[in-house]
């Protein structure tokens, strides 16, 4: 993976983790807050029910007392509203005390509304004894209903308060939980970033250390680096290793070359010495015949001056023979010269042998 | 260099595992948390079962332990049979009379009523009103014989009276007085017929026993219980006003038994007076164990509950039910009290 991709991936992953945790926590806290808001809604609706019941009873009493049309209108409005309100209450037997009270309130309220309607009808018909009786029944039911609504309100308030405190406690716990998660996730994120960036910076550091090592000491003793990753730094490391290997190779080549050169130099010096030696010997060799010839010539001249012609001739032939040997050592010779040499040799042998 | 790279790899692996586990723990924790929040939403409101029938249970006004036990048995048996028994008035902030509770039950449109009878005409009228509205009424413990109730589930008061008579005789065997006369006092809750029947049975049993118990004087007193706490006061006043303290005291109700026992303990009369009680409340059982109460008679509340619920179910399903179901009574004395204490 390339460095850019690596860095982007790390920052993206950590950001997504942080964002996810944040979002989840936010949604949960939001839900808790909404629930807390809704905790006392049942109490509010019960209070509404109680107010409406009071309104019905007041208007009923008002109508029965004065037969006022305003009261009747208000009574009908309230009782219609009440019918709607109680339709939302539970109407089946349950083992939950509060739901059961709702059921009782609903049934009693239906009876109450029917009795109140009957009282209103009797009032219209001016049947005094009947509407008085119905009113008394209504009054009793009103009292029971008020007691029931009050008790249910009380029970619900207790239950709601318990829910409220539980929700508050939950919220406190959730706050602590969220804070802890934030801290831990942040630490983990930082560590993740540090560790991932270290995979980038650590090879660079090692590379720079190697470069320093090379510059401070002999490159031959420097070991190559290991390229673990296939990113840009991996490539640079491999290139560095190649360069190191090349340097080592060149150094080796140069060393071999220098060694060869020195051997050659030694050889040429030795040859020169030998040459000089040979020349010396040659010169020495040249010096000896001259001395010999001069000596022989001196002997020949002495013999001639003394009149010893034969001695003179012998010395002359001998001198010619040696001269030929020294002089014509390496040169091409003619046949006549060779014959002359043979003549000289025979003369000298004849002189020796007599 | 290699070890460093290895260490780095291990560290990375640990980090990755820890991160994954942390994330998992976070998600699980938050899901658990939201689940908890959900479960607390409207606690106690959403968690319930529905039943096809609702029966009202209406007991005497005082908080008798016997009524509470019976209600517990009724509720348990009712739920097994798809009906819920409501202890009408128990959750209200106002205390209502038996008649008012009957009115509430009728107007609440219950399917049936289980009533501890009191024999009064007012109750009879309300039972008639309930019957008019199609609500069957079953009486337990005590009856309203002249009402339109569908069935009475109770013990035979005469038999209980005979049992009390026998217990008085066996208790009297161990009592010696200066003048040779033994006095017994029967304390009643009311002058209502069921307790009168018991008193008559006691007197008849003692009378039939012959001369041995002929000189025993048996008197009776009614402890009025007009309000919640006055039984204890009335018992105390009665003892204060008595000229001769009775040798044997027979209590025909649970609250009387407890009040008399406490009063006897307070007056330091334990051992001088024999108490024969009613109902197996914990206090009475422990008193029997200690020898402060001679014996007690209790009714089989479980059987009574079963029969009352069955009677209502039978009436609702078939339109008919027997007029009387008997329930058994149990005699508890020092010999068998340990069985009942263990059960508690």
């Amino acid at each position: 993976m390339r460095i850019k991709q690596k860095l982007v991936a790390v920052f993206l992953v950590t950001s997504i983790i942080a964002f996810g945790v944040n979002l989840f926590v936010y949604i949960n806290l939001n839900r808790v807050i909404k629930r807390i808001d809704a905790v006392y809604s049942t109490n509010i609706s019960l209070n509404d029910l109680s107010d409406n019941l009071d309104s019905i009873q007041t208007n009923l009493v008002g109508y029965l007392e004065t037969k006022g049309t305003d009261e009747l209108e208000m009574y009908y409005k309230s009782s219609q509203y009440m019918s709607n309100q109680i339709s939302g209450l539970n109407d089946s037997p349950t083992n939950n005390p509060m739901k059961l009270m709702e059921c009782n309130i609903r049934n009693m309220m239906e009876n109450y509304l029917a009795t109140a309607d009957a009282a209103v009808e009797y009032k219209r018909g001016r049947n005094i004894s009947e509407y008085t009786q119905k009113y008394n029944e209504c009054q009793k039911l009103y009292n029971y209903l008020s007691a029931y609504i009050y008790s249910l309100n009380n029970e619900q308030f207790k239950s709601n308060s318990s829910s409220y405190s539980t929700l508050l406690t939950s919220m406190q716990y959730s706050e602590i939980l969220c804070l802890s998660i934030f801290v831990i996730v942040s630490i983990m994120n930082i560590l993740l970033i540090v560790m991932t960036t270290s995979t980038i910076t650590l090879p660079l550091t090692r590379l720079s250390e190697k470069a320093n090592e090379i510059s401070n000491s002999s490159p031959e003793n420097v070991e190559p680096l290991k390229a673990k990753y296939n990113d840009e730094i991996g490539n640079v490391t491999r290139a560095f290793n190649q360069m190191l290997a090349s340097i080592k190779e060149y150094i080796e080549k140069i060393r071999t070359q220098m060694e060869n050169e020195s051997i050659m130099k030694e050889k040429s010096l030795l040859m020169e010495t030998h040459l000089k030696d040979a020349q010396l010997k040659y010169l020495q060799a040249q010096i000896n015949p001259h001395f010999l010839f001069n000596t022989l010539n001196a002997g020949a001249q002495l013999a001639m001056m003394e009149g010893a012609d034969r001695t003179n001739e012998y010395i002359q032939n001998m001198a010619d023979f040696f001269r030929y040997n020294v002089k014509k050592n390496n040169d091409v010779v003619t046949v006549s010269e060779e014959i002359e040499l043979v003549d000289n040799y025979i003369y000298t042998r004849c002189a020796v042998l007599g | 260099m290699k070890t460093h790279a290895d260490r780095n790899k291990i560290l990375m692996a640990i980090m990755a595992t820890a991160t994954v586990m942390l994330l998992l723990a976070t998600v699980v924790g938050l899901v658990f948390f939201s689940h908890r929040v959900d479960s607390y939403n409207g606690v106690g409101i959403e968690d319930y079962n529905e039943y096809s029938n609702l029966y009202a249970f209406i007991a005497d006004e005082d908080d008798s332990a016997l009524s509470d036990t019976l209600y517990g048995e009724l509720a348990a048996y009712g739920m097994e049979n798809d009906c819920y028994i409501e202890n009408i008035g128990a959750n209200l902030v106002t205390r209502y009379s038996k008649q008012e509770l009957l009115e509430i039950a009728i107007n609440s449109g219950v399917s049936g009523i289980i009533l501890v009878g009191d024999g009064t005409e007012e109750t009879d009228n309300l039972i008639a009103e309930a019957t008019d509205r199609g609500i069957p009424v079953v009486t337990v413990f005590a009856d309203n014989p002249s009402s339109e109730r569908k069935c009475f589930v109770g013990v035979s008061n005469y038999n209980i009276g005979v049992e009390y008579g026998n217990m008085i005789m066996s208790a009297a065997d161990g009592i010696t007085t200066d003048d040779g006369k033994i006095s017994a006092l029967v304390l009643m809750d009311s002058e209502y017929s069921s307790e009168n029947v018991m008193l008559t049975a006691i007197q008849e049993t003692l009378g039939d026993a012959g001369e041995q118990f002929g000189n025993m004087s048996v008197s009776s007193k009614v402890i009025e219980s007009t309000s919640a706490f006055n039984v204890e006061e009335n018992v105390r006043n009665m003892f204060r006003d008595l000229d001769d303290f009775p040798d044997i005291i027979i209590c025909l109700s649970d609250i009387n038994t407890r009040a008399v026992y406490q009063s006897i303990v307070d007056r330091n009369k334990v051992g001088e007076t024999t108490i024969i009680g009613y109902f197996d409340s914990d206090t009475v059982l422990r008193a029997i164990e200690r020898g402060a109460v001679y014996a007690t008679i209790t009714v089989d509340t479980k059987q009574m509950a079963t029969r009352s619920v069955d009677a209502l179910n039978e009436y609702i399903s078939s339109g008919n039910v027997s007029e009387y179901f008997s329930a058994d009574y149990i005699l508890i004395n020092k010999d068998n009290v340990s069985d009942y204490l263990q059960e508690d």
Side-chain angles (χ1 to χ4, degrees), chain B residues 286-297:
Chain B
R286 294 202 181 282
I288 292 174
E289 193 186 27
R290 283 197 291 268
V293 170
Y294 181 72
T296 187
I297 284 181

Side-chain angles (χ1 to χ4, degrees), chain B residues 259-281:
Chain B
V260 166
Y261 167 65
Q262 192 56 50
S263 193
I264 293 290
V265 169
D266 292 349
R267 293 170 77 92
N268 208 13
K269 291 269 185 191
V270 178
E272 292 177 28
T273 299
T274 305
I275 305 169
I276 298 172
Y278 185 71
F279 192 55
D280 58 345
S281 64

